[in-house]
Amino acid sequence: MASAPPKHRQLPDKEAKLFKELLVQYEHKQYKKGIKAADSILKKFPNHGETLALKALTLFSGLPMPATAASQPKQDEAEAMAKTAVKKDITSHITWHVLGIMAKGRKDWEEASRAFAMARKQDSDNLPIIRDSISLYLHTRQYEAAVAARHHYFLLRPNVRSSWLGLMVAHQLNGNNEEALELYDAMVGTINADGASPSEKAQIMLNVVKVCMEMGRDGDGLRRLDRAIRGKILSPRGEVTQLRAEMLSKLGRMEEAVEAYRELIKQNPDNLGYYTGYLRAKGLDVASSPSEQTTSGVLAELDQFAQTYPKSTVPKRMALTVSSGSEFRTRVKPYLINGLEKGIPSLFVDVKSLYQNPEKMAAVGEIVEELIESLQKDSSLHDDDSVAPPTTLLWAYYYLALHLSHPLHPNPSFKRSLDLLEIALKHTPTLPEVYMAKAMVLKRAGDIMGAAETMEEARLLDGQDRFLNGKAAKYWLRAGEVKKAEELLAMFTKKDISAMSDLTDLQCLWFLQEEGDSYRRNGNLAMALKRYQATATVFQDYEDDQYDFHTYCLRRMTISAYLSLMRYEDQLRSHPAYFKSAVAAIEIYTSIHDDPSLTEEKLSPEEEAERKKAAKKAQKADQKAKKAAAASGDAKKEDTPAPDPDPTGELLIKTETPLEDAYKLWVPLERMASGRVETWTSGFEIEMRRKRWPAAYKCLLAAYSLDAEDPTLHRQLVTFAQALPSSDVPDALKTAFTDRLPILSIISSSPRDFTADFLTRHSSSPSHILGAAQGLIAVLSASSTPTQEKKALTGGERKEVIAILEKMAGPDIHPEIGAMRRGIEVLKALQGTEGEVQAFKGLCRGRVPLAGVFSSKEEVEARRAKEVNGTAEANGVKADV
Amino acid sequence: MDIRQATIDDLLGMQNANLLNLPENYTFKYYLYHALTWPELSYVAVDPQGRVVGYILSKMEEEPAGEPHGHVTSISVIRPYRRLGLANRLMRQAQEAMVAHYGAAQITLHVRKSNRAAISLYRDTLGFEVHEVQKSYYADGEDAYGMRYDFKQTAEAA
């Protein structure tokens, strides 16, 4: 039995009764009454920790979540009170429990987990505290502690199904499948007696089979699975049969595996994985480069399936991946004809994934040209006298336009693409898809503004279509028109809040990314940072969302799905949306570290006015909220959300610690995106500025082992090799660095050769040319002592750099608008003269005449008119690039 | 296009497709709720680049009066991927899963009164019938048709 409570906790009868009532009132959500009871105890015993804790909790529970403008001060008060309560009574499970609940409410999982651990120390058999602790251990990935707590819970409640299944799951997460399976086999008998529903039994069974598979016990798993199917616990549809087929394959029972896959294909003839599984079980592996014999075997199988399931596209499409040469030609032709006759807009996106193979790309182009030719003549594509639908030619133009302007095309022709689409538009001016294709071609040609205007035309043809609306908004954002984009988006978002707020609430990742990029291109780094950080917050929410499911899934018995959730959350931030935003934000943070003047905004008068208006509005809203709160005295009814304390991103950009902020975003990349060079090159930029040499070196080494020829890495190698000798790094460490990365000493002795050789190796790649130019700048600007500033380049040295940059616009180089644009930025950063910048722009323009970034808007329009009409060649330069 | 059961890894792709295409959107947690309650009932259509271009998000009614019955929370195929019959295929997979795993007797869904293309797909291709009109079902005030399909009809006909 517990010993008598300590003196400071004891209350006289009257207050003890009030305290009990307080507990009941809290549970029944009678918060006002509860606070009254607490206050009358505290009047006499202001130092009674448990009462104080319960008062804090009662106050806290009556507040809206998330906090509103009016409730924020009350929440702060409650939290301070809970902390005081712990100080007043540090050995009470109640004070710690309350602290834990409130930390959980704030989603401060680490602190909550610590507080619950303390609460358990005071009262080890308290079931609700153990339950909460378990969730927190799982959430913070403390699996050993979770197993221990689960085990404790199991001993307290051995007869409840969820307590032993919970322990089983904890073992699985802790990597102990053996223990998990043993426990299951010991307890399984109880399931049938405890009233589990059929779907609960199925979910439990599915998990057990997967445990066996993970342990490599496929025979055991298969026996259990087959028994469950016979016993009607599992239905042999979908995943169940797929697991069966996988186990049969692993056991070498190939004939049965083939039958299982055949059954799966019958259930769903559109599932790609079923066909690859089937072929593998037949000994036909399509993943590795197959022999001729294998290929013909695969094709025969696929043809069979195509006959059995004529409506399924998967076998026909797979055959295109597998076949080659004339075999491919004969197969792709009917595939294309079918798509064009049916007017399938996605035909191009579907087929273009074959373009990695240049031979196939060329074949497809030729066939479409032939088809257009015959359609122009007699509109028949078959050997009989059938007539193709009249829209077939339209879709063929559409296809060819996208084909000719594709980045993988060896000799892309934007002019011809635009001509084709112009014919299509004359023929059918009401089809949004044709305008969309035109916008796409213009975008590829670098005419961002023209692309946006064209996408707008597509949108206007069907104002009710959200897809067109979003595309148009995206193109306006690309063109730097944030306001226009937001106006469009507002047509499909909630009416009472801004499009931006609604899309942020709805976690619309593409919007946050594109708007951040748009602000960044416009030079508004504060707002760009704000959108990128909003993306990071969305990912935090995605992570926090899993919390409720630690208990929920055990109630529903969806264990297998729960385990995949846990695995998914562990690599959540490898998602491209997080990656892109984080890398972009890191670049902004390092640039403002280098040049703090970038944090000072340069506003136009209109922007200034707009800013003032917004500030006024925010102030008004704030006052209104305060008034409302004062009038009602009840925060819950007036739930105006707390106003954004930083609507313009000013607080973000004025950070005192840009490198630490950058590092916070980078940490998840290090763990979850370690296979990408950019992770390491962006980490290097942070660490060099923090002067953490070993960490910077680690990034360099990781990048080097992933892609030694990466253009950004090239410049970073030069920077590092040149800075190292005069750094304060101990000599032993310097030696260790160069021992593992000998290239560093080669660079130190002849840096110019290093850059020149790099350029020779990659003389036809624009991004590498840019890297070589930046490498040379690093060589030329290196100073001889560590205290010195970087040297400015002389005019002659700058000419050397320009000579490299100009190679990007060379006649035999596939032009890359992005690299060219960065070339201009590099030149400007070098203090290049206006004449030098204009000359370089002129060269770029000669290569990509439609690209707006290299010329004025009027110039682009005039040129486009000429290009489209095909009457003249602008400045004697062909549009074909 | 590849059509397969949705996994946790597909949910953000589904959320993205939904935001691109439809006026009714949900936060990630709502997708999680579906996937972690009825893991077998949601399907995705994926393009060769691995992008989710269509999906069906479905569930079982929690407290059915009488026999178990399934419900389509949301189904959508993004615009460039129409005319491939993806919605039809997604729907059939979800339906068969409901019957096989939960013994569903019928399936219901809501559709905007003005969405003629969808209504025609549900009624003419998939055999659904309108069984009720729900006034101002949508946030913008538009009415919804409640549509229903009885799995038993097919069983008896077969």
Side-chain angles (χ1 to χ4, degrees), chain A residues 203 237 267-268 270 272 311 343 346 349 353 432-433 465-467 507 542 548 552 556 558 568, chain B residues 2-3 12 15 19-20 22 25 28-29 36-37 40 49 62 79-81 83-84 89 93 96 100:
Chain A
Q203 297 292 353
R237 205 185 173 281
Q267 289 175 9
N268 177 5
D270 294 297
L272 197 68
K311 281 192 178 163
S346 58
V349 201
S353 52
E433 271 67 22
D465 187 305
R466 187 174 191 181
F467 187 85
Q507 308 167 325
Y542 288 158
D548 293 347
Y552 179 83
R556 306 297 298 225
T558 45
Y568 177 73
Chain B
D2 182 20
I3 291 183
L12 285 185
Q15 186 185 35
L19 277 161
L20 288 177
L22 296 181
N25 311 123
F28 183 57
K29 201 168 180 183
L36 292 164
T37 313
E40 312 87 352
Q49 282 79 39
E62 290 278 44
R79 182 178 175 108
Y81 293 83
R83 297 196 218 179
L84 289 167
R89 290 162 211 240
Q93 288 303 317
E96 281 170 33

Side-chain angles (χ1 to χ4, degrees), chain A residues 199 203 235 237 239 267-268 270-273 311-314 317 342-346 349-350 352-353 395 432-433 436 462 465-468 505-508 510 539 542 545 548-549 552-553 556 558 561-562 564-565 568-569 575, chain B residues 1-5 8-13 15-16 18-29 32-33 35-40 43 47-49 51 62 78-84 89 92-94 96-97 100-102:
Chain A
S199 77
Q203 297 292 353
S235 157
R237 205 185 173 281
E239 192 180 7
Q267 289 175 9
N268 177 5
D270 294 297
N271 184 312
L272 197 68
K311 281 192 178 163
S312 167
T313 51
V314 173
R317 178 62 182 75
K342 284 203 182 128
I344 294 170
S346 58
V349 201
D350 176 18
K352 84 169 180 195
S353 52
W395 288 108
E433 271 67 22
M436 289 166 80
D462 188 354
D465 187 305
R466 187 174 191 181
F467 187 85
L468 294 174
D505 290 349
L506 290 168
Q507 308 167 325
C508 186
W510 77 259
F539 275 84
Y542 288 158
D545 279 343
D548 293 347
F549 294 100
Y552 179 83
C553 290
R556 306 297 298 225
T558 45
Y562 169 68
S564 44
L565 170 68
Y568 177 73
E569 295 280 359
H575 192 280
Chain B
M1 305 303 129
D2 182 20
I3 291 183
R4 52 173 176 74
Q5 186 182 311
I8 304 288
D9 304 56
D10 293 315
L11 301 183
L12 285 185
Q15 186 185 35
N16 179 56
N18 170 273
L19 277 161
L20 288 177
N21 235 19
L22 296 181
E24 280 76 38
N25 311 123
Y26 322 100
T27 56
F28 183 57
K29 201 168 180 183
L32 279 181
Y33 161 69
L36 292 164
T37 313
W38 307 277
E40 312 87 352
Y43 274 77
D47 79 356
Q49 282 79 39
R51 232 162 46 112
E62 290 278 44
I78 65 171
R79 182 178 175 108
Y81 293 83
R82 294 187 191 151
R83 297 196 218 179
L84 289 167
R89 290 162 211 240
R92 289 192 193 277
Q93 288 303 317
E96 281 170 33
H101 297 293
Y102 296 93

Side-chain angles (χ1 to χ4, degrees), chain A residues 474-526:
Chain A
K474 182 168 132 184
Y475 273 59
W476 284 122
L477 287 173
R478 294 265 168 100
E481 301 286 327
V482 172
K483 232 179 127 185
K484 172 98 188 158
E486 287 191 356
E487 278 166 21
L488 291 191
L489 291 166
M491 295 176 188
F492 286 88
T493 57
K494 259 197 217 160
K495 295 299 162 234
D496 49 345
I497 52 176
S498 72
M500 189 275 298
S501 307
D502 191 33
L503 291 172
T504 308
D505 290 349
L506 290 168
Q507 308 167 325
C508 186
L509 296 171
W510 77 259
F511 165 75
L512 292 173
Q513 179 73 44
E514 292 287 346
E515 190 160 288
D517 291 348
S518 190
Y519 276 125
R520 189 178 174 201
R521 277 190 298 268
N522 287 350
N524 189 343
L525 299 184

Side-chain angles (χ1 to χ4, degrees), chain A residues 69-273:
Chain A
S71 74
Q72 188 62 54
K74 286 185 188 168
Q75 190 176 322
D76 296 345
E77 185 196 337
E79 277 171 16
M81 197 183 293
K83 277 192 188 132
T84 316
V86 169
K87 280 187 205 138
K88 302 270 186 207
D89 193 346
I90 201 155
T91 58
S92 152
H93 73 271
I94 293 182
T95 59
W96 284 109
H97 195 174
V98 167
L99 199 68
I101 292 173
M102 289 173 54
K104 210 172 70 176
R106 288 198 305 277
K107 299 188 173 152
D108 184 344
W109 312 112
E110 303 289 338
E111 188 182 324
S113 157
R114 278 192 299 273
F116 273 100
M118 289 303 292
R120 276 184 68 205
K121 244 187 210 167
Q122 316 306 328
D123 184 5
S124 61
D125 290 351
N126 183 316
L127 290 177
I129 295 180
I130 303 178
R131 270 201 300 266
D132 271 336
S133 286
I134 292 166
S135 287
L136 287 161
Y137 287 139
L138 294 170
H139 197 75
T140 53
R141 305 300 190 261
Q142 304 181 61
Y143 291 141
E144 259 173 55
V147 169
R150 269 287 173 217
H151 195 255
H152 187 172
Y153 194 88
F154 172 56
L155 295 177
L156 294 172
R157 281 279 181 282
N159 297 323
V160 180
R161 186 198 340 145
S162 66
S163 70
W164 66 264
L165 275 169
L167 178 58
M168 179 184 182
V169 175
H171 279 313
Q172 287 179 255
L173 285 167
N174 198 32
N176 198 338
N177 280 330
E178 200 97 21
E179 197 96 17
L181 196 60
E182 238 170 69
L183 179 68
Y184 172 81
D185 284 333
M187 300 301 293
V188 62
T190 60
I191 293 183
N192 289 325
D194 74 355
S197 74
S199 77
E200 287 167 347
K201 283 184 194 165
Q203 297 292 353
I204 294 167
M205 195 39 138
L206 200 61
N207 179 50
V208 171
V209 171
K210 285 186 180 176
V211 171
C212 292
M213 289 176 77
E214 270 178 37
M215 293 169 77
R217 293 197 198 165
D218 294 295
D220 189 7
L222 187 61
R223 272 191 299 279
R224 291 173 193 259
L225 187 88
D226 281 339
R227 215 182 308 136
I229 294 174
R230 279 197 305 272
K232 306 253 187 248
I233 290 171
L234 288 175
S235 157
R237 205 185 173 281
E239 192 180 7
V240 172
T241 298
Q242 191 172 354
L243 294 177
R244 194 167 178 274
E246 281 169 26
M247 287 187 283
L248 286 167
S249 300
K250 280 206 200 121
L251 291 166
R253 291 159 63 176
M254 290 310 175
E255 274 173 37
E256 291 163 89
V258 165
E259 280 323 301
Y261 279 115
R262 201 191 292 283
E263 167 60 25
L264 284 168
I265 293 171
K266 194 174 153 200
Q267 289 175 9
N268 177 5
D270 294 297
N271 184 312
L272 197 68

